[in-house]
């Protein structure tokens, strides 16, 4: 049997594992509720009126269809314990002594986590698309670019989560470490660079925000009114380039996945 | 190749602690050999290296003439193993677990299904095939561990304390299964239970502090030291 056949088997059963977990259904409920809430707030609080910017499907999409935070959360919760738990919970004693390369196990797990996260992401986009049709009878073309960036973001986040999962002893540690990278470290560096006038195009969370910049609306036009104090203005009005961001995220995904494979191959089952 | 397992000068150092020191051992085809020793003697380390879960600091090991260190996947394809106290994915049923592992080992759907039923019946889990493993007791998981080790009908069994966590009836049943298995398979298993070793195997390798102290037939050791217990105590004196 070829390694590719084995990879497909790992992916299939790892996906089944993800679908059996409560966290998958938790994430699904969470994204549905969050989308409904965001649509409600956008309409209820009259965001366009507050911004002083004409309402349009594109503006609606920027606020409602940009799911980078959800993509990060979903990917991290699926992937944080993917490798670490094999060592931590001793399931590796059954999985690893099989005629399969560890590389195939890591890639299979990665693909399964990706597919599970993709389901969550697509559900979010479908809800938004339905809302767009219901409210504006139109779906902006930029939604496809936004989806592509979100998928690239998921791949990048999964890669980073897999890196920590291969490196650290516990799944919880890997989950927290990945969240810290995205929610604390990257925003701090991003803020500092933005204040200094440098575009942090290489940071994953900034690149992920490109999911909002595919609708053809310049951030400086809408966020200038959104931040009257001006303190955050520099940070919020920088607009990530979608193409550059897409490739930045793919590079994160590729490099971290390769390092994760290398680490897992070297890791001993003590 | 007359030997199923060859261990050559195997050493393992865990950051200053020498768990194995130049261990050499040969297990012939269809031979049943127990690796006996006190806690921390190096039994589990030896088996983990054989199954490719640990890399030796020096030395090498062969399974059916294939170098485990260099060609891990090929070497272990003919091995069924139970290592430490294995855990299973709690969201899976025994049927799904065995299906997953069987397919990874190259078994085809049709043969796999009948073999799954066979081994699950053998370990008395046939009424639990569709129950999630999260509901299983320690002993039931150990039975499932044996089922997965036997699943692909491997010619070599590498077992680390296979009766651990089982009640007296379960221990007896596992020993009967192993006694049956040794007629056609090479059985290499670690234990610190003298009665279990004496019941299941004819030959024993006694190790202590990572070193081989004796490798002989149990009957010969009994003769030499007047009893198997005395042999064990004498040969592992350093730890008492």
């Amino acid at each position: 049997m070829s390694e590719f056949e084995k990879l497909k088997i790992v992916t299939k059963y790892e996906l089944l594992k993800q679908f059996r977990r409560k966290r998958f259904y938790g994430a699904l409920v969470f994204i549905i509720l969050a989308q409904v809430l965001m649509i409600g707030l956008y309409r209820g609080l009259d965001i366009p009126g507050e911004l002083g910017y004409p309402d349009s499907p594109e503006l609606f999409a920027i606020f409602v269809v940009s799911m980078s935070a959800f993509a990060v959360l979903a990917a991290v919760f699926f992937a944080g314990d993917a490798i670490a738990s094999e060592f931590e919970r001793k399931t590796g004693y059954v999985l690893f002594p099989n005629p399969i390369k560890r590389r195939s196990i890591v890639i299979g797990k990665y693909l399964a986590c990706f597919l599970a996260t993709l389901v969550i992401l697509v559900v979010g986009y479908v809800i938004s698309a339905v809302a767009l049709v219901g409210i504006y009878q139109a779906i902006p073309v930029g939604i496809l670019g936004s989806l592509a960036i979100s998928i690239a973001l998921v791949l990048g986040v999964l890669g980073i989560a897999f890196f920590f999962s291969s490196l650290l002893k516990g799944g919880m540690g890997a989950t927290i470490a990945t969240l810290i990278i995205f929610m604390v470290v990257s925003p701090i560096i991003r803020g500092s660079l933005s204040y200094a006038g440098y575009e942090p195009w290489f940071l994953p969370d900034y690149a992920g925000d490109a999911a909002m910049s595919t609708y053809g609306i310049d951030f400086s036009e809408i966020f200038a009114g959104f931040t009257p104090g001006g303190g955050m203005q520099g940070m919020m009005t920088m607009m990530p380039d979608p193409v550059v961001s897409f490739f930045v995220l793919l590079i994160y995904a590729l490099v971290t996945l390769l390092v994760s494979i290398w680490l897992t191959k070297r890791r001993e089952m003590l | 190749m007359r030997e199923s397992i060859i261990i050559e000068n195997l050493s393992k150092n865990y950051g200053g602690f020498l768990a194995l020191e130049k261990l050499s051992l040969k297990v012939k085809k269809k031979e049943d050999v127990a690796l006996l020793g006190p806690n921390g003697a190096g039994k589990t380390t030896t088996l983990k290296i054989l199954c490719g879960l640990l890399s030796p600091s020096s030395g090498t090991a062969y399974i059916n003439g294939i170098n485990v260190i260099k060609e891990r996947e090929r070497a272990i394809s003919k091995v069924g193993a139970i290592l430490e106290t294995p855990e299973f994915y709690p969201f899976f049923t025994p049927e799904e677990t065995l299906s997953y592992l069987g397919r990874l080992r190259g078994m085809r759907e049709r043969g796999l299904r009948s073999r799954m039923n066979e081994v699950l019946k053998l370990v008395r889990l046939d009424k639990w095939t569709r129950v999630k493993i999260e509901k299983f007791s320690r002993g039931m998981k150990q039975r499932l561990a044996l089922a997965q080790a036997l699943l692909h009908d491997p010619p070599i069994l590498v077992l680390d304390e296979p009766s651990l966590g089982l009640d007296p009836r379960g221990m007896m049943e596992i020993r009967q299964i192993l006694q049956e298995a040794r007629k056609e398979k090479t059985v290499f298993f670690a234990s610190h239970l003298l009665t279990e070793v004496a019941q299941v195997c004819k030959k024993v390798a006694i190790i202590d502090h990572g070193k081989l102290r004796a490798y002989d037939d149990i009957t010969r050791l009994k003769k030499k030291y007047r009893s198997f217990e005395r042999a064990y105590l004498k040969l592992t004196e350093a730890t008492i």
Side-chain angles (χ1 to χ4, degrees):
Chain A
M1 189 194 281
S2 69
E3 274 305 304
F4 182 66
E5 286 291 319
K6 292 175 190 171
L7 171 68
K8 284 200 295 189
I9 294 166
V10 174
T11 308
K12 180 188 160 185
Y13 283 91
E14 286 293 328
L15 192 59
L16 177 65
K17 203 171 92 184
Q18 294 292 357
F19 289 154
R20 289 276 169 84
R21 299 171 99 179
K22 283 177 188 152
R23 67 179 66 173
F24 175 78
Y25 298 96
L28 208 54
V29 169
F30 177 71
I31 195 137
I32 292 168
L33 292 178
Q35 283 299 96
V36 171
L37 182 70
M38 282 167 71
I39 293 166
L41 286 175
Y42 180 86
R43 303 291 293 174
L45 297 175
D46 184 25
I47 298 289
E50 290 296 321
L51 291 173
Y53 195 87
D55 191 14
S56 66
E58 286 77 14
L59 188 69
F60 177 88
I62 284 177
F63 280 87
V64 177
V65 198
S66 306
M67 277 168 284
S68 54
F70 301 133
V72 170
L73 283 174
V76 168
F77 283 118
F78 291 138
D81 64 351
I83 305 293
S85 69
E86 296 291 349
F87 296 87
E88 191 183 17
R89 294 184 195 149
K90 298 186 174 183
T91 47
Y93 284 122
V94 176
L95 181 63
F96 294 140
N98 281 294
I100 178 169
K101 292 185 187 301
R102 289 215 181 163
R103 179 186 64 206
S104 305
I105 293 176
V106 176
I107 297 173
K109 281 173 175 283
Y110 181 89
L111 289 174
C113 288
F114 169 68
L115 292 172
T117 315
L118 191 64
V119 171
I120 306 289
L121 197 65
V122 167
V123 166
Y125 271 88
V126 167
I127 294 171
S128 306
V130 169
L132 277 162
V133 171
I135 299 167
Y136 303 98
Q137 291 79 49
I139 298 177
V141 184
I143 199 168
L144 291 175
S146 172
L147 180 62
I149 299 284
S150 294
I151 288 172
L153 177 65
V154 167
L155 291 169
V157 179
L158 286 176
I160 292 169
F162 265 68
F163 163 73
F164 283 117
S165 195
S166 313
L167 184 72
L168 302 178
K169 277 187 179 172
M172 185 57 76
T175 303
I176 292 170
T178 312
L179 284 176
I180 287 174
I181 289 286
F182 273 89
M183 310 271 177
V184 181
V185 178
S186 190
I188 289 172
I189 299 171
R190 175 181 175 170
S192 305
L193 288 173
S194 300
Y195 288 134
Y198 296 106
E199 189 190 3
W201 57 270
F202 53 88
L203 289 174
D205 76 312
Y206 180 79
D209 280 353
M212 292 192 291
S213 57
T214 57
Y215 298 106
I217 293 179
D218 193 335
F219 287 1
S220 59
E221 290 175 28
I222 48 174
F223 290 121
F226 198 58
T227 54
M232 299 287 281
Q233 205 162 322
M235 200 166 136
M236 297 193 73
T237 54
M238 275 190 187
M239 200 163 158
D241 181 80
V243 177
V244 171
S245 299
F246 181 78
F247 285 107
V248 163
L249 291 167
L250 286 190
I251 289 168
Y252 269 103
L254 188 67
V255 171
T256 48
L257 181 62
L258 287 175
V259 177
S260 171
I261 291 169
W262 184 76
L263 288 170
T264 308
K265 274 165 80 173
R266 291 174 57 88
R267 195 163 171 176
E268 293 191 319
M269 198 79 209
L270 296 170
Chain B
M1 173 64 61
R2 286 176 64 233
E3 284 89 12
S4 287
I5 298 169
I6 300 173
I7 294 169
E8 281 180 357
N9 289 318
L10 215 56
S11 295
K12 179 66 184 174
N13 200 323
Y14 292 112
F17 170 69
L18 198 58
L20 274 185
E21 194 179 344
K22 294 189 173 174
L23 184 77
S24 292
L25 200 65
K26 285 180 183 175
V27 181
K28 287 181 191 155
K29 274 197 174 128
K30 293 189 185 176
E31 203 170 37
D32 39 286
V33 174
L35 200 55
L36 184 68
N39 293 332
K43 306 185 293 290
T44 302
T45 300
T46 307
L47 301 192
K48 282 182 180 176
I49 293 173
L50 270 180
C51 293
L53 295 180
L54 291 178
S55 306
S57 305
S58 64
T60 192
Y62 299 88
I63 289 177
N64 275 346
I66 303 163
N67 191 317
V68 177
I69 318 316
K70 289 180 180 162
E71 294 180 83
R72 193 194 72 91
E73 292 79 27
R74 205 158 78 86
I76 63 170
S77 64
K78 303 287 181 207
V79 174
I82 302 179
L83 294 159
E84 291 250 351
T85 46
E87 282 295 336
F88 297 89
Y89 299 130
F91 322 102
F92 280 3
T93 64
E95 202 174 68
E96 287 160 349
T97 302
L98 294 185
S99 172
Y100 183 15
L101 297 172
R103 294 199 61 200
L104 280 183
R105 294 167 193 172
M107 296 176 80
R108 297 281 161 215
E109 195 59 43
R110 208 171 148 197
L112 175 60
R113 189 145 291 279
S114 64
R115 181 63 183 159
M116 261 164 43
N117 293 335
E118 213 174 291
V119 290
L120 285 169
K121 199 170 177 186
L122 190 70
V123 299
R124 292 181 183 272
L125 284 177
D126 46 330
K127 290 189 174 72
W128 298 81
T129 53
R130 290 183 184 176
V131 177
K132 281 189 186 164
I133 297 169
E134 65 189 357
K135 296 194 170 73
F136 279 25
S137 66
R138 173 77 265 142
M140 289 166 84
K141 286 180 192 167
Q142 197 67 14
R143 285 166 187 269
L144 183 58
L146 185 61
Q148 66 80 28
L150 294 168
L151 182 65
H152 54 309
D153 199 14
I156 302 168
L157 289 176
V158 173
L159 311 169
D160 187 10
E161 315 220 10
S163 59
L164 196 75
L166 293 171
D167 56 28
R169 178 182 289 274
M171 284 170 117
M172 241 167 56
E173 286 168 0
I174 294 265
R175 284 170 200 166
Q176 275 171 2
I177 293 168
L178 292 181
Q179 279 168 346
E180 197 58 36
R182 74 182 196 185
K183 290 176 189 166
E184 294 180 352
K185 297 178 193 299
T186 306
V187 179
F188 188 48
F189 91 104
S191 179
H192 59 261
L193 301 174
L194 299 183
T195 46
E196 183 172 70
V197 167
Q199 277 177 28
V200 177
C201 296
K202 286 185 185 144
K203 213 169 171 182
V204 65
I206 299 179
I207 61 168
D208 189 21
H209 285 87
K211 284 183 182 169
L212 186 66
R213 304 291 178 183
Y215 186 34
D216 211 339
D217 283 346
I218 293 177
T219 45
R220 261 206 292 270
L221 284 173
K222 276 182 184 172
K223 257 188 199 167
K224 193 174 172 186
Y225 294 91
R226 287 189 289 163
S227 76
F228 189 33
E229 288 80 5
R230 278 173 180 272
Y232 176 76
L233 291 172
K234 188 76 187 164
L235 291 163
T236 59
E237 222 165 30
T239 56
I240 300 170

